């Protein structure tokens, strides 16, 4: 967790405790699940929060992970203005009174509003995709990234290199080549980070020192994974020079590496696939007649 979030959280312990008390428990039988919990939103963030909530997208991402891998305990995902930090995975938070709050993920309403606003700007004059659709897809990627942190922490997965890059890879692995979600998730995240990079302006020491890769690098990484996942389908990323050819030649191998690495790391935690439905019982043999 970034240090600035740790500082912000110290002032929020009461809100955290309240939100945790309201969290629903998981329904199935393995050790735990990601559990989505929407809270209250300030007036300014209600529209974006309502778009996301009505889409059911967060529940779909959680259900995808819950159905595939076993977690040792529930990890609530609080989407609300009551914990106005993040998006962030918060491991084992110690409150002022010494109570340890188990792992959770926080997504504040102001982040959803920012996503919607920047998607409106990015998609001005673009037909066929609405800012709301792009906001939902980008948020699927962002929340899958936070779930990746939670998996690394709760399953003690090895990580070499920067964890932030690794869990970007998890979000791409989970969503981009998955027919239930698709590459639009990673592309929307790239659009959003591109917008945020423009807002940021000149890079400073803080950007270089940050635990995340520079926003522009993340944008190109996401485009590289998308292209690498299906080079024929996404060749326009290269022909339009959105993705430089010098990087594009590596992207097929990079995609294979990220997907086989996450597949290998998570294989020991995979839930057994549901058994196929039993075939219908054969009709009883007719009673012999004499
Ligand atoms: Zn992160």
């Amino acid at each position: 967790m970034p240090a600035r979030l740790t500082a912000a959280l110290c002032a929020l312990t009461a809100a955290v405790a309240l939100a945790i008390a309201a969290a629903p428990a998981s329904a199935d039988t393995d050790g735990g699940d990601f559990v989505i919990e929407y809270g209250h939103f300030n007036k300014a963030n209600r529209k974006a929060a309502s778009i996301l909530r009505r889409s059911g997208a967060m529940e779909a991402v959680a259900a995808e992970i819950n159905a595939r891998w076993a977690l040792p305990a529930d990890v609530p995902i609080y989407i609300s203005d009551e914990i106005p930090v993040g998006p962030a995975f918060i491991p084992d938070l110690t409150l002022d009174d010494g109570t340890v709050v188990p792992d959770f993920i926080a997504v504040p309403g102001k982040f959803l509003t920012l996503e919607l606003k920047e998607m409106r700007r990015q998609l001005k004059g673009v037909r066929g995709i609405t800012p709301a659709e792009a906001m939902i897809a980008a948020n699927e990627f962002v929340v899958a990234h936070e779930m990746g942190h939670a998996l690394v922490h709760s399953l003690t997965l090895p990580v070499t290199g920067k964890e932030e890059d690794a869990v970007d890879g998890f979000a791409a692995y989970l969503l981009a080549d998955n027919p239930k979600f698709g590459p639009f998730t990673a592309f929307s995240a790239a659009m959003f980070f591109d917008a945020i990079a423009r807002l940021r302006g000149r890079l400073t020491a803080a950007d270089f020192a940050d635990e995340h890769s520079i926003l522009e690098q993340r944008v190109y990484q996401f485009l590289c994974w998308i292209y690498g996942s299906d080079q024929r389908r996404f060749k326009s990323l290269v022909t339009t020079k959105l993705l430089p050819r010098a990087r594009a030649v590596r992207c097929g191998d990079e995609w294979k590496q990220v997907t086989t690495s996450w597949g290998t790391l998570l294989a020991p935690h995979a839930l057994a696939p549901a058994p196929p439905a039993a075939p219908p019982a054969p009709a009883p043999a007719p009673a012999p007649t004499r």
Side-chain angles (χ1 to χ4, degrees):
M1 178 176 50
R4 60 182 181 274
L5 288 183
T6 318
L9 273 168
C10 291
L12 296 167
T13 51
V16 171
L18 275 176
I20 272 105
S26 70
D28 61 29
T29 51
D30 66 288
D33 278 337
F34 286 107
V35 183
I36 304 294
E37 170 79 357
Y38 283 92
H40 297 289
F41 296 92
N42 302 330
K43 199 171 170 204
N45 303 325
R46 273 183 211 147
K47 178 161 188 182
S50 153
I51 289 169
L52 186 69
R53 186 176 195 153
R54 277 187 281 118
S55 75
M58 297 299 94
E59 288 81 356
V61 177
E64 178 71 13
I65 300 183
N66 294 341
R68 289 171 65 178
W69 300 292
L71 273 81
D74 280 355
V75 179
I77 300 175
Y78 300 114
I79 306 170
S80 80
D81 280 330
E82 288 143 299
I83 308 175
V85 293
F89 166 64
I90 320 284
D92 299 334
L93 174 71
T94 304
L95 303 184
D96 290 342
D97 64 1
T99 317
V100 176
V101 177
D103 300 352
F104 66 96
I105 290 169
V107 182
K110 68 180 176 194
F111 178 77
L112 308 178
T113 298
L114 176 68
E115 269 181 325
L116 187 59
K117 183 177 158 203
E118 294 309 317
M119 290 307 188
R120 282 198 189 110
R121 207 195 306 249
Q122 290 282 51
L123 293 171
K124 214 170 216 167
V126 175
R127 289 175 169 212
I129 301 166
T130 67
E133 288 165 342
M135 181 273 265
I136 292 163
N139 215 62
E140 286 175 333
F141 192 96
V142 166
V143 169
H145 167 112
E146 300 305 338
M147 291 165 156
H149 282 302
L151 291 173
V152 166
H153 181 82
S154 61
L155 303 176
T156 328
L157 300 179
V159 176
T160 63
K162 289 157 78 172
E163 181 176 322
E164 294 298 339
D165 291 345
V167 300
D168 275 343
F170 172 74
Y173 162 74
L174 181 77
L175 302 172
D177 208 13
N178 182 335
K180 288 182 221 160
F181 301 95
F184 186 55
T185 52
F187 191 78
S188 298
M191 274 200 295
F192 177 64
F193 287 142
D194 175 63
I196 298 300
R198 285 163 210 254
L199 291 179
R200 177 208 59 214
R202 275 175 80 94
L203 288 163
T204 66
D207 297 301
F208 291 113
D210 198 87
E211 72 271 33
H212 301 85
S213 291
I214 303 288
L215 286 165
E216 288 88 339
Q217 289 181 300
R218 295 176 80 185
V219 170
Y220 284 116
Q221 182 65 75
F222 300 171
L223 296 182
C224 180
W225 282 328
I226 294 167
Y227 174 66
S229 72
D230 191 337
Q231 296 181 41
R232 202 181 299 181
R233 183 176 169 199
F234 299 114
K235 67 173 187 250
S236 65
L237 288 176
V238 182
T239 54
T240 57
K241 295 195 164 68
L242 215 50
L243 180 64
R245 199 170 290 275
R247 176 65 185 276
V249 295
R250 301 171 182 276
C251 296
D253 285 344
E254 285 193 37
W255 178 246
K256 218 175 287 169
Q257 187 180 52
V258 79
T259 53
T260 53
S261 297
W262 275 103
T264 304
L265 286 172
L266 288 172
H269 307 283
L271 291 166
T289 50
R290 296 186 186 212

